Amino acid sequence: MFYTRKKINDGSTYLGPYASVRMMHVMLDLIKELFKLRTCNLNLTKENIAKNKFKVCLEYHIGNCLGPCEGKQEEEDYHQTILTIKDILKGNLFAVMQHLEIEMNRAATNYQFELAHDLKQQLDILEKFKSKSVIVNPAITNADVVTLVSEGNSSFANYMHIVNGSIIQAQTIEIKKKLDETPAELMTIAITEMRLRYSSPSKEVIVNIEPDVMQDNITYTIPKQGDKRQLIMMSEKNANFFMTEKLAQYDKLNPEHKIERLMELMKKDLRLSTQPRLIECFDNSNFQGTDAVAAMSVFRDGKPSKRDYRHFNIKTVTGPDDFASMEEVIYRRYKRVLDEKQELPQLIVVDGGKGQLSAALNSLQKLDLRGKVGIIGIAKRLEEIYFPGDPLPLYLDKKGETLKIIQQLRDEVHRFGITHHRNKRSKGLIKTELQQIKGIGKTISETLLRHFKSVKKIKEADTDELEKVIGKTKAAIVINYFNEKEQDKNDAIET
């Protein structure tokens, strides 16, 4: 027999993200604080120790080792320490604390007060650790927790083994889909894989999805509330965290993977028949019922394609009628697309609820495109997604990528439309001011603005510059108008 060098975690405990990683570090720190293990790999047989082949090193002198190489620590005592550490890692704190208490009382009875004091300190450290490490009801004495989360074609399972309310083992794995497995089938794979990997003796498995195959001697629980529900939420959080990191790695290594994953996700979330590689989004804008305009933003492979953005001046609608304006714009846009044999989008997004969506559908019907192009409406207040023929809206995950893309489309079309609308109103106001000058009509106003670019530059222009553009007579009228306006302004200030 000889002393063996044991790894503290023995390869049996893997703790995943969040609480699991933190607990693993706490456990290792606890073990280092409680026990003095050798760090060398000397062949400590009884014969070698008896022949004094080894000398204690610095670790012994600074108190980190009990010196088994010189026989200062018995082999039986060393192996008992290893067994105690394994019990702690397995969550059997109660058994360890009970053993320490017995040893402490025995030492005190034999007047070994220093040893009793050391054991008491170890007992206090374990008690403190126990109070911090129990994260759920200690009545959950021995159970497995397995949760499954998926995004697109990727699925991830998180496993946690619970002993006396503490997470003792935890790991998250990716499950590769080989066929079109259902969530229940994937859950069965996850449970089988993790329980075999950790040789779990638990008779209860707490899950978020019922597996399609159940063992007779195991109870499967899908909790709706209480401590077990808290465990499910923690496990799902771990799985989602791992999934986010893993997918981010895949996206970084292969940008095409990100696009494919995102397009497949949007296809699934929005009930589309094809991936929405090309998306066009529409919005109307008007100011107090006048200057009605519309705008279109365009995304290709989930990213803005600004060169494809378009503005529309409403031509056939009088007054603030958003539904009629949307119907006109959709008709004009896709009539032109068909006439010019341009690429049709896989998805049309209409900014608005059921009314705007119905108006857009009317135009698609006229063009024989209804049912051939995916179309949805998004209402602003609660981010409701409306589908043709469905009176009830869909609520997408607020943190999901699909909703973020749709929101970005809408934000872009708002920005683009508002900018165009402001420019149009600004030009309209300028033209109106110039046309208020008696003797200056629409044609002369536009000629001046084309040449000088702004009213300010027209005011600052001298007589010769104006005469070259609009002639002597009109130039004199413009100069007199601005001179009189300036004089009126000065008189008002003096008054």
Side-chain angles (χ1 to χ4, degrees):
M1 290 290 294
F2 57 88
Y3 290 103
T4 56
R5 186 184 180 199
K6 299 276 187 178
K7 289 184 179 180
I8 290 179
N9 67 351
D10 199 30
S12 62
T13 302
Y14 175 89
L15 295 175
Y18 288 102
S20 307
V21 167
R22 182 181 59 81
M23 185 169 290
M24 183 55 164
H25 288 301
V26 171
M27 271 191 169
L28 293 177
D29 291 340
L30 169 74
I31 290 166
K32 289 177 183 177
E33 186 177 2
L34 285 174
F35 307 106
K36 301 181 186 341
L37 297 177
R38 71 190 188 100
T39 57
C40 63
N41 56 2
L42 301 175
N43 185 13
L44 299 186
T45 62
K46 289 183 179 180
E47 293 77 14
N48 287 341
I49 294 172
K51 291 178 182 178
N52 295 321
K53 278 194 171 185
F54 312 110
K55 294 294 181 182
V56 292
C57 62
L58 180 62
E59 289 293 307
Y60 171 79
H61 291 294
I62 63 176
N64 290 339
C65 177
L66 296 179
C69 57
E70 286 191 14
K72 297 181 185 297
Q73 182 185 24
E74 296 293 332
E75 180 179 350
E76 183 181 349
D77 178 55
Y78 188 89
H79 281 296
Q80 181 58 50
T81 300
I82 296 297
L83 292 175
T84 302
I85 290 172
K86 292 180 75 173
D87 277 337
I88 291 173
L89 289 171
K90 289 177 181 177
N92 300 327
L93 290 180
F94 179 77
V96 174
M97 293 172 71
Q98 194 175 41
H99 172 73
L100 287 175
E101 189 170 359
I102 292 170
E103 291 296 317
M104 179 186 70
N105 292 332
R106 182 182 295 154
T109 302
N110 295 331
Y111 303 106
Q112 296 174 302
F113 298 117
E114 288 187 11
L115 176 59
H117 176 70
D118 290 341
L119 292 170
K120 177 65 168 62
Q121 284 186 320
Q122 289 183 341
L123 199 58
D124 290 342
I125 291 169
L126 281 173
E127 185 65 47
K128 185 177 180 182
F129 171 76
K130 181 183 174 184
S131 66
K132 289 183 177 180
S133 65
V134 175
I135 57 171
V136 291
N137 192 335
I140 305 176
T141 55
N142 197 330
D144 289 331
V145 180
V146 183
T147 59
L148 184 76
V149 298
S150 300
E151 184 170 313
N153 292 321
S154 301
S155 291
F156 298 83
N158 177 258
Y159 168 82
M160 298 193 304
H161 182 55
I162 311 299
V163 175
N164 298 325
S166 297
I167 299 175
I168 303 306
Q169 293 167 322
Q171 186 172 11
T172 305
I173 61 171
E174 181 178 4
I175 301 177
K176 298 289 187 182
K177 290 186 181 180
K178 296 181 179 179
L179 299 171
D180 238 354
E181 295 94 342
T182 64
E185 290 171 334
L186 293 172
M187 176 58 79
T188 300
I189 295 170
I191 292 173
T192 305
E193 164 73 17
M194 301 311 291
R195 284 176 62 85
L196 283 174
R197 182 177 296 190
Y198 290 103
S199 304
S200 173
S202 302
K203 298 299 181 184
E204 181 183 16
V205 181
I206 304 168
V207 295
N208 64 341
I209 297 170
E210 189 175 277
D212 67 331
V213 178
M214 301 186 187
Q215 295 183 32
D216 294 334
N217 60 337
I218 295 177
T219 301
Y220 296 88
T221 308
I222 303 180
K224 301 299 181 185
Q225 58 185 3
D227 293 320
K228 291 182 180 180
R229 177 60 189 163
Q230 292 296 319
L231 281 171
I232 286 291
M233 292 171 66
M234 178 182 293
S235 180
E236 288 177 335
K237 190 175 183 180
N238 281 346
N240 280 309
F241 178 84
F242 185 86
M243 179 174 68
T244 301
E245 286 198 330
K246 204 72 175 176
L247 293 179
Q249 289 177 9
Y250 293 157
D251 293 347
K252 190 173 181 180
L253 292 171
N254 184 4
E256 186 57 38
H257 172 273
K258 179 180 180 180
I259 295 170
E260 182 67 26
R261 178 180 60 79
L262 180 58
M263 293 299 102
E264 195 61 34
L265 177 65
M266 293 188 72
K267 174 186 171 183
K268 177 184 174 183
D269 287 347
L270 300 175
R271 310 170 189 173
L272 302 173
S273 58
T274 57
Q275 293 182 354
R277 294 280 181 162
L278 176 60
I279 309 174
E280 296 182 352
C281 180
F282 296 86
D283 181 40
N284 297 324
S285 178
N286 64 73
F287 178 69
Q288 296 179 351
T290 63
D291 295 322
V293 297
M296 178 186 77
S297 61
V298 180
F299 272 36
R300 291 183 182 273
D301 292 335
K303 294 182 180 180
S305 179
K306 296 189 177 182
R307 66 179 183 179
D308 295 319
Y309 287 16
R310 294 291 183 271
H311 289 132
F312 301 88
N313 293 320
I314 304 301
K315 298 178 179 178
T316 64
V317 180
T318 304
D321 189 338
D322 279 348
F323 299 158
S325 297
M326 183 62 71
E327 189 169 346
E328 177 192 325
V329 168
I330 294 293
Y331 183 85
R332 285 169 52 193
R333 167 61 183 166
Y334 295 109
K335 179 70 166 62
R336 181 170 184 175
V337 168
L338 292 173
D339 290 345
E340 297 180 2
K341 297 182 179 180
Q342 297 177 22
E343 179 185 5
L344 279 168
Q346 288 80 43
L347 177 64
I348 299 170
V349 178
V350 175
D351 184 28
K354 290 185 283 187
Q356 282 89 344
L357 180 60
S358 296
L361 284 168
N362 290 339
S363 292
L364 293 181
Q365 184 76 43
K366 294 174 186 175
L367 296 167
D368 194 28
L369 289 177
R370 183 163 181 171
K372 298 178 181 178
V373 179
I375 182 169
I376 60 171
I378 176 170
K380 295 171 184 158
R381 192 168 66 89
L382 297 174
E383 308 292 35
E384 301 160 318
I385 305 296
Y386 286 94
F387 292 88
D390 191 345
L392 298 176
L394 170 71
Y395 295 94
L396 293 171
D397 180 4
K398 299 293 183 185
K399 296 181 180 179
E401 291 181 283
T402 297
L403 183 59
K404 287 181 180 177
I405 290 291
I406 295 173
Q407 288 172 330
Q408 193 177 355
L409 269 160
R410 185 186 59 193
D411 292 344
E412 277 291 285
V413 79
H414 279 182
R415 178 193 63 77
F416 193 60
I418 288 171
T419 301
H420 174 59
H421 193 253
R422 284 175 179 165
N423 291 339
K424 185 177 179 183
R425 280 165 48 200
S426 176
K427 289 178 180 178
L429 291 172
I430 291 170
K431 287 180 182 178
T432 301
E433 181 183 4
L434 291 174
Q435 289 172 24
Q436 284 177 349
I437 304 173
K438 190 174 180 179
I440 301 297
K442 180 180 178 181
T443 304
I444 297 298
S445 299
E446 290 177 350
T447 302
L448 285 168
L449 286 172
R450 273 198 302 271
H451 184 83
F452 292 101
K453 307 300 181 185
S454 70
V455 173
K456 182 182 177 183
K457 289 185 178 179
I458 294 172
K459 289 179 183 179
E460 294 171 351
D462 58 29
T463 305
D464 291 339
E465 287 179 296
L466 288 171
E467 288 178 353
K468 288 178 183 178
V469 177
I470 57 175
K472 285 187 178 182
T473 304
K474 298 295 184 183
I477 293 173
V478 171
I479 291 170
N480 289 336
Y481 170 79
F482 284 118
N483 286 340
E484 289 174 4
K485 191 174 180 181
E486 186 67 24
Q487 185 60 47
D488 291 341
K489 182 178 176 182
N490 292 335
D491 292 344
I493 292 173
E494 291 174 5
T495 305

